[in-house]
Amino acid sequence: MSTNISRSPETKAIALVPGDLAPSLQPAVPLLNENIPTLGSLPIGAHLILRCRKDWRDATVVAASIDRVTLSVGAPSGRTYRVRRPPDSPLSFDGAIPILGAGAWRAGRARYDMRW
C-alpha cells in the first residue's frame, strides 16, 4: 500500500539553517553524564555509607520518589532516623560499597553499640 502525499501549490517549503532554532527549543540545562551513578539509581533496600556531620554511618534506601530519596540511618546509640536527599546526588564506590559524601570513610566510621 503506498500513499501519495502532495502539498498544495500555495504552501512554501521552509529550509532550516543550523542556528535557526529558537532558544526555547534547546535544553536549558546541559545533559548530565549518564555514567555517573546517583542516589536515585539505587533500588529500595540498598545499603550505603552516608557522610553525617561528625562521622560516617550505615544507611539504607527506604523510599524513593521523583524529588527525593529517603534513607534510614543507623545511629551509634542503636536508634535509627530518616534523612532525605535529592535523587541526583552523586555516589562514589569503594569496591562494591556505595558512598554518599566525600572523604576517607574508613577512618571516621561511627562505632556502634556492640551489645546488640
Side-chain angles (χ1 to χ4, degrees), residues 4-90:
N4 187 5
I5 300 175
S6 61
R7 65 186 154 131
S8 65
E10 299 88 31
T11 314
K12 294 182 181 180
I14 300 173
L16 288 177
V17 179
D20 274 354
L21 295 177
S24 62
L25 298 177
Q26 297 174 354
V29 178
L31 299 175
L32 297 175
N33 187 353
E34 298 289 329
N35 298 330
I36 298 174
T38 60
L39 184 59
S41 65
L42 293 178
I44 293 176
H47 295 277
L48 65 140
I49 304 293
L50 174 68
R51 174 69 181 167
C52 295
R53 290 181 185 164
K54 295 181 182 179
D55 51 14
W56 294 84
R57 298 183 179 181
D58 297 330
T60 304
V61 178
V62 294
S65 66
I66 295 173
D67 57 341
R68 67 180 176 212
V69 174
T70 304
L71 303 172
S72 177
V73 182
S77 64
R79 303 191 75 159
T80 60
Y81 61 94
R82 292 185 176 205
V83 296
R84 291 170 185 84
R85 298 287 183 259
D88 58 349
S89 300

Side-chain angles (χ1 to χ4, degrees), residues 72-114:
S72 177
V73 182
S77 64
R79 303 191 75 159
T80 60
Y81 61 94
R82 292 185 176 205
V83 296
R84 291 170 185 84
R85 298 287 183 259
D88 58 349
S89 300
L91 293 174
S92 59
F93 283 87
D94 185 4
I97 302 171
I99 301 166
L100 182 59
W105 70 273
R106 292 181 185 264
R109 189 151 179 247
R111 295 198 57 181
Y112 291 94
D113 191 357
M114 300 308 287

